[in-house]
Amino acid sequence: DGEITPKVGFMITSSIVENNNFDVYAEIEANKNIGNDSAIEDMCKDIVKEQIENVEKYKAGEEKILNFLVGQVMRKSQGKDDAGKIKKIMLKLIN
């Protein structure tokens, strides 16, 4: 239902196999998405301010820069949010 990313889901599944005392629910809770759009938007705004030069490159046609910007937000969220959602919000902000 989108509470965790596929990457986190894979990590949890692997941990279940390796450790029969693994608390799935605690791990899901600890790795939930930051999730709400306003929190993601705030992180995106921070990255846009920090990476203004790269934002300008993107606007000038270097489309691959968008992946870098999304990656910076993913780093801020410690990989806990959906890159697709971040990308949509980032595009809304910089276009």
Side-chain angles (χ1 to χ4, degrees):
D1 63 0
E3 286 191 32
I4 58 173
T5 63
K7 179 181 174 184
V8 171
F10 180 77
M11 182 219 34
I12 290 172
T13 303
S14 297
S15 296
I16 292 169
V17 172
E18 295 170 5
N19 181 356
N20 52 349
N21 292 327
F22 187 75
D23 186 348
V24 174
Y25 298 107
E27 211 48 44
I28 289 172
E29 194 61 37
N31 288 288
K32 272 188 179 178
N33 295 344
I34 290 173
N36 70 46
D37 287 355
S38 68
I40 295 171
E41 188 169 335
D42 289 345
M43 286 187 289
C44 288
K45 286 177 182 177
D46 290 345
I47 294 301
V48 168
K49 287 178 189 173
E50 293 169 14
Q51 298 288 331
I52 194 70
E53 186 176 307
N54 284 317
V55 170
E56 293 304 320
K57 287 180 183 178
Y58 171 78
K59 288 181 177 181
E62 290 185 47
E63 293 184 15
K64 290 183 180 183
I65 296 287
L66 181 59
N67 292 330
F68 170 76
L69 296 170
V70 169
Q72 295 302 300
V73 178
M74 290 292 290
R75 180 184 289 169
K76 265 190 182 284
S77 76
Q78 299 175 329
K80 293 181 181 178
D81 276 305
D82 178 53
K85 184 185 274 190
I86 293 169
K87 186 174 184 177
K88 285 180 187 178
I89 292 171
M90 185 64 75
L91 284 170
K92 183 179 82 172
L93 290 174
I94 63 178
N95 284 326

